[in-house]
Amino acid sequence: MTETIPPSADLPGLARFAETLADAAGAAALPFFRSEFVIENKAGDGDFDPVTEADRAAETAIREKIEAAYPDHGIEGEEFPGKRAESDFTWTLDPIDGTRAFMCGLPSWTTLIALSWQGKPVLGIIDQPYLRERFIGFGEKSVLKQGGSETVLRTKPCEHLRQAALSTTDPKLFTGGEPGAFEQIRCTARVTRYGLDAYAYAMLAQGGLDLVIEAGLSAHDVRALIPVVEGAGGVITDWRGGDPSDGGQIIAAGDARLHDQAMVSLRRAASF
């Protein structure tokens, strides 16, 4: 669950600052979207883990603003070495989550910005600057900001897997016993959609999707998602039902009853 920070900490003020980070990231990334840019493969031979000029430009823009405003805060990013915190606060950044979507011109990539206090996320932003959709979670609620309007987010009730809209980024990313566990759930769900990366969690918070199941995530993939999902009334854990803050095998559900049903299959394939 999202942690409570000391009353002396100005979480609404930090949320407003986090929005300036999202603005800076979007301004840095959007000129590259649907245009020509350099793509590198971080994985080397035999695999493909792309990083682009846009990833690095967006993370650089965010880091510069954090270091200027909060020099004692830690920074953990996907593209550059981490900065150790001198306070209880650390920012976790994924400048472009869904780089494959970005390079294909698909607007399902997002910028993920999380603020953690003593290692637990207290603020999260899932930002899609091309669509001008910004999902923000902190405190006890999540909101969508778009076109000057603000809408409170609530997940959708879903009593049974047979009624569920399920998503995962790519079932081929599952390994070991994970594909079998996912397939049991997929066969029961009403509909399954692929390739959405973190945007799927935003759609869950908005009430479009009911269930998201992933594996192999890093902290920068998941920390921003936690306050958004929980603030909208959803449940997000690892496949053992524990803290998802450090990534790994992740399940998010809009309805706790759905989470419990899916966990019957996922626990059998949970890593320890």
Side-chain angles (χ1 to χ4, degrees):
M1 295 293 292
T2 304
E3 296 295 306
T4 302
I5 64 174
S8 59
D10 179 13
L11 192 53
L14 287 164
R16 289 191 294 272
F17 173 70
E19 288 204 66
T20 71
L21 302 180
D23 291 340
L30 281 175
F32 295 97
F33 186 53
R34 295 184 176 174
S35 65
E36 294 185 5
F37 52 84
V38 175
I39 301 169
E40 299 177 25
N41 183 11
K42 295 188 291 185
D45 294 338
D47 203 351
F48 185 56
D49 185 10
V51 61
T52 71
E53 298 169 88
D55 292 86
R56 295 192 175 111
E59 185 167 324
T60 296
I62 298 173
R63 282 173 173 266
E64 287 177 351
K65 292 183 76 69
I66 295 172
E67 290 172 357
Y70 296 101
D72 61 332
H73 286 195
I75 305 175
E76 300 171 346
E78 183 177 17
E79 307 304 338
F80 299 103
K83 175 189 174 185
R84 185 182 296 274
E86 297 176 8
S87 73
D88 287 327
F89 288 103
T90 296
W91 296 88
T92 305
L93 315 172
D94 192 345
I96 297 180
D97 181 89
T99 300
R100 289 171 177 81
F102 186 95
M103 60 183 281
C104 293
L106 303 172
S108 56
W109 58 277
T110 56
T111 294
L112 303 181
I113 299 170
L115 179 63
S116 296
W117 179 73
Q118 295 184 347
K120 302 302 179 186
V122 294
L123 163 66
I125 290 182
I126 305 171
D127 193 59
Q128 213 311 308
Y130 185 77
L131 300 177
R132 298 183 180 179
E133 294 179 338
R134 180 167 296 169
F135 303 84
I136 308 171
F138 69 92
E140 298 298 323
K141 73 174 185 177
S142 295
V143 299
L144 166 62
K145 291 189 176 182
Q146 184 181 35
S149 66
E150 181 175 309
T151 305
V152 174
L153 297 172
R154 296 303 301 174
T155 60
K156 182 176 63 179
C158 184
E159 185 176 0
H160 198 278
L161 277 171
R162 292 190 302 271
Q163 305 163 332
L166 166 68
S167 182
T168 193
T169 296
D170 187 342
K172 294 186 182 299
L173 297 176
F174 294 124
T175 61
E178 294 168 351
F182 176 78
E183 185 64 10
Q184 285 184 326
I185 297 168
R186 187 202 65 78
C187 287
T188 307
R190 174 177 289 175
V191 64
T192 304
R193 305 305 298 165
Y194 300 109
L196 296 176
D197 298 286
Y199 193 65
Y201 297 82
M203 293 298 97
L204 183 142
Q206 194 175 31
L209 290 169
D210 300 298
L211 190 63
V212 184
I213 297 172
E214 311 252 46
L217 299 189
S218 300
H220 61 255
D221 295 314
V222 72
R223 290 201 173 188
L225 315 177
I226 297 169
V228 175
V229 169
E230 292 185 342
V235 180
I236 180 168
T237 70
D238 64 22
W239 289 14
R240 300 186 304 276
D243 183 3
S245 298
D246 291 329
Q249 300 169 315
I250 301 299
I251 171 175
D255 190 313
R257 296 170 296 182
L258 198 61
H259 178 273
D260 291 344
Q261 291 169 42
M263 286 292 287
V264 173
S265 296
L266 297 182
R267 278 196 178 96
R268 300 189 186 109
S271 58
F272 290 90

